[in-house]
Amino acid sequence: MTSDLAGQKKALRLDLRARLKALTSEERRFGSLAACDQLRAQPLWRAAGCILFYAPLSSELDLAPLLAEALATGKTAALPGYVAATGLYEAFVITHLTDDCAPGRFGIAEPKPGCARLPLNRLDLALTPGVGFDETGHRLGRGQGFYDRLLAQTAAIKCGVAFDLQVVERIPAEPHDIRMNCLLTPTRWRELAPSHAS
């Protein structure tokens, strides 16, 4: 990454994090419920049998109601889990959000040891958080590249999940950055061009 591109990404992360910090707990809660409603209405959601969820940080939309619904309707639900031997995140099946999870490497809930590893080629839909997204599907992560490496290994539909204020005109992108196929916010659902794992 060039120093100019790194600087652009750093500045954008700082700006977006400041905007997210200004959201009230009620705005976060209502935004999360609205995003769940948006996704619930999509044929893609109804058709997906195997879904990668995420355990949200306090600044991220919380899709826990949909995870519970997925489990109740017989869908396979998975969460990313860090594998120390490879230094990568992989998908692990969960059957109960609280019973099957514990704080992981970065303090984020992850599947406990004993949860079955899920081959990434089985995923139909990967719900993907980020610091920011743009209208062409580029994603700004936290800078570690963990999600890009995970998403590069699956042909699942990749759905960026964000508050509306996190969608900006342009995200500085590199060739290895994984693009989203669709974008979910509390107020809209947008299908985008196919992603590329170049």
Side-chain angles (χ1 to χ4, degrees), residues 64-129:
L66 289 180
L67 195 158
E69 289 173 26
L71 292 171
T73 56
K75 296 178 186 288
T76 298
L79 283 176
Y82 184 74
V83 180
T86 61
L88 300 172
Y89 276 85
E90 297 186 32
F92 293 86
V93 176
I94 62 167
T95 57
H96 192 279
L97 184 56
T98 53
D99 292 352
D100 288 349
C101 296
R105 183 169 184 254
F106 297 103
I108 304 167
E110 293 185 20
K112 292 178 180 177
C115 289
R117 192 173 302 190
L118 181 75
L120 292 172
N121 62 7
R122 283 193 53 205
L123 289 172
D124 300 313
L125 175 63
L127 299 171
T128 309

Side-chain angles (χ1 to χ4, degrees), residues 183-194:
L183 193 57
L184 169 69
T185 77
T187 65
R188 63 185 178 142
W189 168 265
R190 180 167 181 183
E191 296 190 14
L192 307 169

Side-chain angles (χ1 to χ4, degrees), residues 94-170:
I94 62 167
T95 57
H96 192 279
L97 184 56
T98 53
D99 292 352
D100 288 349
C101 296
R105 183 169 184 254
F106 297 103
I108 304 167
E110 293 185 20
K112 292 178 180 177
C115 289
R117 192 173 302 190
L118 181 75
L120 292 172
N121 62 7
R122 283 193 53 205
L123 289 172
D124 300 313
L125 175 63
L127 299 171
T128 309
V131 178
F133 297 89
D134 68 20
E135 298 283 359
T136 63
H138 289 115
R139 171 182 172 271
L140 180 68
R142 297 190 192 97
Q144 302 293 319
F146 286 119
Y147 254 99
D148 281 323
R149 289 191 288 274
L150 186 154
L151 294 174
Q153 300 177 65
T154 178
I157 293 170
K158 299 159 184 72
C159 178
V161 182
F163 288 96
D164 290 278
L165 62 81
Q166 293 174 268
V167 182
V168 298
E169 185 177 345
R170 178 182 168 272

Side-chain angles (χ1 to χ4, degrees), residues 1 5 9 13 137-141 143-145 147-149 151-152 158 171-180 195-198:
M1 185 191 306
L5 193 59
K9 286 188 172 185
R13 280 191 192 97
H138 289 115
R139 171 182 172 271
L140 180 68
Q144 302 293 319
Y147 254 99
D148 281 323
R149 289 191 288 274
L151 294 174
K158 299 159 184 72
I171 297 287
E174 298 172 85
H176 66 264
D177 290 334
I178 303 297
R179 287 178 60 212
M180 301 293 104
S195 65
H196 300 282
S198 54

